[in-house]
Amino acid sequence: MADDRRRGEEDERGPGAPHQVFVLMEALLEKLKVLNYEEELLSKHNMKTLSRHYFVSSRYLASNPGEQFYMFTIMAAWLINACGKSFAIPQEDDEPTAIVSNILAELRSFQELKVDIPPSKLKSGSGEHVCFVLDRLADEALRRRGFSFKRPNYPTENAEEESMMEDDTELTFNKVEEIMEEPDEDEVNLVDLEALTLQSSRTEAAAALAKPDNILQSTVDAAEWNLEVERVLPLLKVTIRTDNKDWRIHVDQMHQHQDGIQSSLQEAKCYLDKVQVDISKTLEKVSSREKYINKQLEDVISEYRDAQAKLSEVRERYQLASGGVAQRTRVLAEMSEELEKVKQEMEERGSSMSDGAAVVKIKQSLSKLKQEIVRMDVRVGVVEHMLLQAKLKEKSNMNMDMHAANMAATAAFI
């Protein structure tokens, strides 16, 4: 939706609307150069020079939004102060919304027209709105300094002179092309200078013979002639480009670099020799001073060594004492634990002795024992009764067996 809305706005403003910000940024940079922002702003804050498209939107160029916003606020504050008003330089930990609102308030106080820009458009630190705000502040600063841009006045030149100059230039190049020989495979882009000099001398002699007598003495002013020569000379200059791939050029460059290296080496060697001598002298001084200091501090060093030996002995004693203290502390902790256990047992026994719950439990146990004794007596009576019946039955059985035996014996006897 945002892309469609942006595309609709661009269609309403024209096809060149997206690139208008580039033109605005270039105009802003020119105005800042007129205000001498490099010395008055960048040098004080140790900032780098702005590029032509620094504040252009990040969707066109890769940039750092935080750095752009900080640069925008610093530059806006500087322009407001240049316009004659007092505005504090923003800091990095200030609230961005408050800074942008203050800048817009100052801009509305400068402009006669109403500036309706939401603060959110300026928080990114880039874009058309940022360039617009800075451009308006730069215009106000230039107006306060009494500076205004004017249209350039271009000098009028005679068309016939230009055409004659172009014809002469073309003829000169044609002559050079005729003089230059066909390059060989090994010699590319080389010009036969002897043939060029001979041809130029022949051309000057022919021109001198062809001149009439009334032109031999010139009536032209020397100053005007010099000005004309300075104006026409760049157009008549013949530039012969050499091929960088030619091995001869590489060899010449190697020789030049070798000469430069040798000359630089000689100068550097002299400086290095001086530095070596200075360093050797300094080292000798340092060694002598060190020996002197050691001699002066021998007594102090011996005392220091004795103190170190005593300190080591004291540390050993401290370690031994600390070891005994640790062992005694451990024994004390064990005894404290045993004491706590004894106290806990005594408290439990005392609570049990003073409490009547044990007596209640004993009475309940006695009642249960009595009930069990009664039950056992009943069971014992039942068992005795059963045993008595068994004995009586066995006795009756024995009597019957004896009677039967007697009867059998009687019958046998009879």
Side-chain angles (χ1 to χ4, degrees), residues 340-381:
E340 289 294 332
K341 290 180 181 179
V342 172
K343 286 182 179 180
Q344 188 175 1
E345 291 178 357
M346 289 178 65
E347 288 178 357
E348 290 178 355
R349 290 182 180 181
S351 62
S352 63
M353 291 174 66
S354 62
D355 194 4
V359 178
V360 175
K361 289 181 180 180
I362 291 170
K363 289 182 179 179
Q364 291 177 357
S365 299
L366 289 173
S367 62
K368 288 181 181 180
L369 287 173
K370 288 180 180 179
Q371 290 178 0
E372 290 180 356
I373 290 169
V374 172
R375 290 175 184 173
M376 290 297 292
D377 291 339
V378 172
R379 289 180 181 178
V380 169

Side-chain angles (χ1 to χ4, degrees), residues 8 13 26 99 103 133 172 238 298 365 373-374:
R13 294 166 56 188
E26 291 182 358
I99 298 173
I103 292 172
V133 171
T172 306
V238 178
E298 282 182 355
S365 299
I373 290 169
V374 172

Side-chain angles (χ1 to χ4, degrees), residues 287-301:
S287 61
S288 61
R289 291 294 177 88
E290 185 178 358
K291 292 178 181 179
Y292 176 75
I293 291 171
N294 291 331
K295 289 181 180 179
Q296 293 292 327
L297 298 178
E298 282 182 355
D299 298 335
V300 179
I301 291 171

Side-chain angles (χ1 to χ4, degrees), residues 301-412:
I301 291 171
S302 62
E303 293 178 359
Y304 175 74
R305 288 175 181 174
D306 296 336
Q308 286 289 109
K310 293 180 181 179
L311 179 61
S312 61
E313 292 178 359
V314 172
R315 284 181 178 176
E316 290 178 358
R317 293 177 183 176
Y318 173 75
Q319 289 178 358
L320 294 174
S322 63
V325 171
Q327 185 177 0
R328 289 180 177 83
T329 305
R330 182 175 57 80
V331 173
L332 177 62
E334 292 177 356
M335 295 179 68
S336 299
E337 290 179 359
E338 292 179 358
L339 180 62
E340 289 294 332
K341 290 180 181 179
V342 172
K343 286 182 179 180
Q344 188 175 1
E345 291 178 357
M346 289 178 65
E347 288 178 357
E348 290 178 355
R349 290 182 180 181
S351 62
S352 63
M353 291 174 66
S354 62
D355 194 4
V359 178
V360 175
K361 289 181 180 180
I362 291 170
K363 289 182 179 179
Q364 291 177 357
S365 299
L366 289 173
S367 62
K368 288 181 181 180
L369 287 173
K370 288 180 180 179
Q371 290 178 0
E372 290 180 356
I373 290 169
V374 172
R375 290 175 184 173
M376 290 297 292
D377 291 339
V378 172
R379 289 180 181 178
V380 169
V382 172
V383 171
E384 289 179 353
H385 177 71
M386 291 175 66
L387 181 61
L388 181 60
Q389 285 183 352
K391 288 181 178 181
L392 291 174
K393 187 175 180 180
E394 185 178 0
K395 187 175 182 182
S396 63
N397 290 331
M398 290 176 66
N399 292 327
M400 289 177 67
D401 291 338
M402 290 176 66
H403 181 70
N406 291 328
M407 286 298 291
T410 303

Side-chain angles (χ1 to χ4, degrees), residues 219-276:
T219 58
V220 180
D221 189 5
E224 294 180 358
W225 180 264
N226 291 329
L227 290 175
E228 186 68 17
V229 169
E230 290 179 359
R231 189 178 68 84
V232 177
L233 185 60
L235 300 176
L236 300 177
K237 186 177 180 180
V238 178
T239 303
I240 301 173
R241 296 181 180 179
T242 58
D243 190 4
N244 293 327
K245 296 181 180 180
D246 192 3
W247 63 270
R248 295 180 180 83
I249 297 175
H250 294 171
V251 171
D252 294 337
Q253 291 178 354
M254 290 171 62
H255 288 301
Q256 292 176 2
H257 293 320
Q258 184 180 4
D259 296 336
I261 290 170
Q262 289 179 356
S263 59
S264 301
L265 180 61
Q266 292 177 357
E267 295 178 0
K269 189 175 180 181
C270 297
Y271 291 121
L272 291 174
D273 292 337
K274 291 180 182 179
V275 171
Q276 184 181 3

Side-chain angles (χ1 to χ4, degrees), residues 13 106 108 143 146 151 155 171 179 188 213 264 300 306 372 406:
R13 294 166 56 188
E106 296 293 339
R108 293 188 185 98
R143 190 178 65 81
R151 293 183 176 275
L171 290 173
I179 295 170
V188 182
D213 295 335
S264 301
V300 179
D306 296 336
E372 290 180 356
N406 291 328

Side-chain angles (χ1 to χ4, degrees), residues 58 67 192 410:
S58 58
E67 181 184 353
D192 191 357
T410 303

